[in-house]
């Protein structure tokens, strides 16, 4: 039927659902979803980006109703932006995976030891309490962590399937490098002088702590990232999390250097959660408050006061950035602005 009348893929019913919404909601097999997405790829991507009258994408329904194996991955490939798109109730696909679990009685019990470990570090400032040698023992929590990691990887343009796992399938032996670096093609809209790099496939390092700092997510996802990967709080991002956007020149791209604190200052997280993220990162890496980014020469304080979502000096945690580097209040960025 689809091949006889492919335009049906974009037809909407009274709920503004496409056939892809129905397939995701009612657990259609992977092969069916693949047909809808791949037989006419442009239409498939358009259908994957459609949102129903409740503001929900096919990915939302696939996650909400536990779609068969492989379906979520196909939808992520077609429309990774859907990961962070809220419905009319403000719920994102990422929140469906993580928030619903960690706010349940079972989830609160599972996450509590890791949050307590982080709080102990914040109270005592003992770096040995965050050594990164952490295994998530609870199988259900580990499953939610892995799925949240997969969604965030997709949202930032990284392969959904980690290269280490893929290398094991392919029999590759260079796992140490692959575990740390993800090989990703240069985006199609990158400047022309980067075309040569496209064949070489530039390397980007995936850091879940940087991703959790950059988006609005449940505080416990960020906190678990701190406990599992504390080293990422001090690592510099060099065009890794974000590669390119329209209008940026290649020189600017090569010089983009930021920290998790810079991402947090720019993120939409505000209020209690936003403040928690900023103060935690400052405790883990105080020197980050004095690092100038490689984009506009801005300090984290510059970035935070420009952020329209962070409007309160105390409640949004901006004062913590000032306390960590009071000289930042008079520092000028490369545009000569304080």
């Amino acid at each position: 039927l689809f091949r006889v009348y492919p335009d049906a893929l974009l037809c909407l019913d009274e709920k503004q659902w496409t056939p892809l919404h129905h397939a995701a909601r009612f657990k259609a097999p992977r092969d069916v979803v693949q047909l809808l997405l791949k037989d006419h790829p442009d239409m498939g991507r358009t259908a994957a980006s459609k949102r129903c009258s409740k503001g929900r994408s096919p990915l939302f329904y696939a996650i909400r109703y536990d779609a068969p194996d492989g379906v979520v991955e196909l939808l992520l490939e077609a429309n990774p932006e859907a990961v962070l798109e809220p419905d009319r109730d403000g719920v994102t696909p990422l929140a469906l995976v993580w928030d619903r679990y960690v706010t349940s009685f079972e989830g609160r019990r599972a996450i509590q030891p890791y949050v307590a470990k982080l709080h102990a570090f914040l109270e005592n400032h003992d770096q040995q309490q965050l050594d990164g040698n952490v295994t998530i023992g609870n199988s259900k929590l580990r499953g939610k962590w892995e799925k949240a990691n997969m969604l965030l990887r997709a949202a930032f343009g990284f392969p959904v399937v980690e290269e280490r796992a893929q290398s094991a399938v392919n029999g590759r032996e260079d796992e140490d490098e692959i575990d740390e670096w993800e090989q990703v093609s240069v985006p199609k809209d990158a400047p022309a002088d980067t075309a040569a790099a496209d064949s070489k496939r530039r390397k980007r390092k995936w850091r879940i702590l940087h991703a959790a700092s950059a988006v609005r997510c449940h505080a416990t996802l960020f906190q678990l990232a701190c406990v599992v990967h504390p080293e990422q709080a001090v690592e510099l991002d060099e065009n890794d999390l974000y590669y390119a956007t329209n209008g940026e020149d290649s020189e600017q791209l090569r010089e983009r250097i930021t920290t998790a604190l810079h991402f947090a200052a720019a993120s939409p997280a505000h209020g209690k959660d936003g403040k928690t993220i900023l103060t935690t990162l400052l405790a883990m890496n105080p020197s980050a408050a004095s690092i100038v980014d490689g984009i506009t020469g801005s300090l984290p304080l510059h970035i935070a006061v420009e952020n329209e979502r962070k409007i309160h000096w105390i409640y949004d945690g901006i004062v913590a950035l000032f306390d960590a580097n009071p000289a930042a209040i008079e520092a000028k960025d490369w545009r000569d602005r304080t």
Side-chain angles (χ1 to χ4, degrees), residues 91-307:
V91 181
T92 66
L94 178 63
L96 284 178
V97 169
W98 188 259
D99 299 26
R100 288 204 312 166
Y101 175 67
V102 296
T103 55
S104 69
F105 178 75
E106 178 188 5
R108 287 197 299 269
R109 290 188 61 183
I111 197 69
Q112 193 277 331
Y114 304 98
V115 175
K117 187 177 182 71
L118 181 61
H119 285 168
F121 160 76
L122 296 175
E123 291 174 2
N124 303 321
H125 292 277
D126 182 358
Q127 291 290 348
Q128 292 184 348
Q129 292 177 318
L130 284 185
D131 56 10
N133 187 23
V134 173
T135 300
I136 302 175
N138 183 289
S139 60
K140 192 164 186 179
L141 177 63
R142 184 169 62 252
K144 298 295 183 182
W145 167 255
E146 291 171 353
K147 196 162 188 178
N149 184 58
M150 177 183 73
L151 293 180
L152 285 172
R153 288 170 65 90
F156 286 99
F158 283 80
V160 171
V161 179
E162 292 194 42
E163 293 287 343
R164 172 184 283 275
Q166 191 61 47
S167 68
V169 173
N170 296 336
R172 293 170 58 176
E173 298 180 355
D174 52 343
E175 289 188 359
D176 290 340
E177 179 180 352
I178 291 170
D179 184 49
E180 182 171 289
W181 295 91
E182 301 299 343
Q183 296 188 351
V184 182
S185 297
V186 174
K188 293 179 180 178
D189 60 354
D193 62 359
T194 64
D198 187 44
S199 60
K200 298 178 182 178
R201 299 175 68 84
R202 71 175 298 276
K203 295 178 179 179
R204 300 166 66 201
K205 184 172 183 179
W206 170 246
R207 301 177 180 91
I208 190 171
L209 179 56
H210 285 200
S213 301
V215 303
R216 188 174 185 180
C217 63
H218 197 276
T220 55
L221 180 58
F222 164 80
Q223 290 167 328
L224 186 55
C226 289
V227 173
V228 176
H229 291 292
E231 76 284 354
Q232 294 179 2
V234 300
E235 291 179 352
L236 295 177
D237 180 287
E238 301 181 53
N239 301 338
D240 295 316
L241 189 61
Y242 298 100
Y243 176 72
T245 58
N246 291 328
E248 292 183 325
D249 58 48
S250 57
E251 187 69 25
Q252 184 180 38
L253 292 173
R254 285 196 294 271
E255 294 179 353
R256 173 180 279 172
I257 298 175
T258 47
T259 69
L261 187 63
H262 291 79
F263 289 129
S267 84
H270 60 281
K272 181 180 178 181
D273 286 351
K275 181 178 180 180
T276 294
I277 292 171
L278 288 174
T279 55
T280 300
L281 291 173
L282 282 167
M284 297 176 73
N285 183 19
S287 64
S290 302
I291 293 177
V292 173
D293 73 15
I295 307 170
T296 60
S298 298
L299 294 162
L301 183 61
H302 286 112
I303 298 170
V305 297
E306 276 193 307
N307 188 337

Side-chain angles (χ1 to χ4, degrees), residues 21-35:
H21 281 88
H22 284 273
R25 165 61 182 87
F26 295 106
K27 299 177 177 289
R30 182 185 185 278
D31 290 347
V32 171
V33 175
Q34 184 171 22
L35 173 68

